Amino acid sequence: MRSATDRRGLPASLGALRRGPAAVTSRRNAARYVLGRAVGLLLLVLGAMVGVISAKEAALAAGVTGAPGTYTVEECHERYPAAGSRHAGRTISCTGAFHPARNGDSDDHGSASGTGGVNPFGTFHPDAMYPPGTRVPVQAGDDGTYVAAGWKYAWGNLAGVAVALPMLAAGAFCLLTGFGARWGRSFADSWDGLPGGFVLRPLLLSVAGMGILGAAVFLFLQHYG
């Protein structure tokens, strides 16, 4: 026959068993929330980098900043992010010599001021392969970056600025709600639970919409303008 102490201990044991899975679920939810915030922070950093680099190159291509001149190509190389891929993410890197223009003339009249090296933030990264000896009008940045001159290239870089806006909007949303972790909160729940949603929901939608529309317009101008 069980004592009164045994009878009192049984409900306590059952309660502890019930609380165990709930505690595990709570810890998992907290981990997913933190992971979602990390995804948001990463998107914000990437969006800011894309926007700043694209804006800098757009200003160079449009002639707002930098020094005009001619880049004489020595050789160009194509690179692809995935082995065997010939479609997505192609990067072209060219080495050669930059000849600054004289008296605002973009023709090749100056002496060579340097030779490029292949790295992600320097030299010349055109959107097409050039044969050796080709002279391309460019704008030279202070850090040794060369960008093909002309509004065609400026529009393409401005499209990059526009693409950064949806990335920033998505990053802010994930950072504020924790959305983005695998098996985390659904988008609908996160959207409804957005802090200050009365103001932030239309703001985030506007920023993302302007970015998508701007990218479409700038890409159209790049190809048909």
Side-chain angles (χ1 to χ4, degrees):
M1 184 175 181
R2 294 181 179 179
S3 65
T5 303
D6 293 337
R7 288 194 296 271
R8 287 194 300 269
L10 183 59
S13 300
L14 292 176
L17 290 175
R18 294 191 187 99
R19 288 193 297 272
V24 172
T25 301
S26 178
R27 286 194 295 270
R28 287 178 178 175
N29 289 336
R32 291 165 183 164
Y33 188 71
V34 171
L35 181 58
R37 286 178 175 267
V39 170
L41 182 60
L42 178 62
L43 284 173
L44 285 174
V45 172
L46 289 177
M49 290 179 59
V50 169
V52 170
I53 294 173
S54 298
K56 180 179 177 181
E57 294 193 351
L60 278 173
V64 177
T65 60
T70 301
Y71 192 92
T72 303
V73 175
E74 292 180 355
E75 61 179 352
C76 293
H77 299 280
E78 292 179 285
R79 294 183 180 181
Y80 300 88
S85 173
R86 304 290 296 179
H87 302 287
R90 181 181 70 162
T91 300
I92 299 174
S93 299
C94 297
T95 57
F98 172 70
H99 302 264
R102 291 180 179 176
N103 300 323
D105 185 3
S106 62
D107 292 334
D108 184 6
H109 296 302
S111 60
S113 64
T115 300
V118 177
N119 63 76
F121 301 103
T123 70
F124 186 35
H125 295 277
D127 59 358
M129 292 286 291
Y130 291 105
T134 303
R135 297 189 301 178
V136 185
V138 298
Q139 289 284 125
D142 295 334
D143 56 355
T145 300
Y146 305 106
V147 175
W151 278 103
K152 173 185 176 181
Y153 305 100
W155 294 132
N157 288 312
L158 286 173
V161 177
V163 168
L165 294 180
M167 296 176 64
L168 293 173
F173 173 69
C174 294
L175 186 64
L176 291 171
T177 64
F179 176 77
R182 187 178 182 184
W183 308 115
R185 296 176 65 187
S186 67
F187 175 79
D189 291 341
S190 299
W191 186 252
D192 291 337
L194 179 67
F198 182 77
V199 175
L200 288 182
R201 277 193 287 266
L203 178 61
L204 293 178
L205 287 175
S206 299
V207 171
M210 286 189 298
I212 294 171
L213 179 61
V217 171
F218 291 135
L219 289 175
F220 177 84
L221 291 173
Q222 181 188 21
H223 289 92
Y224 303 104

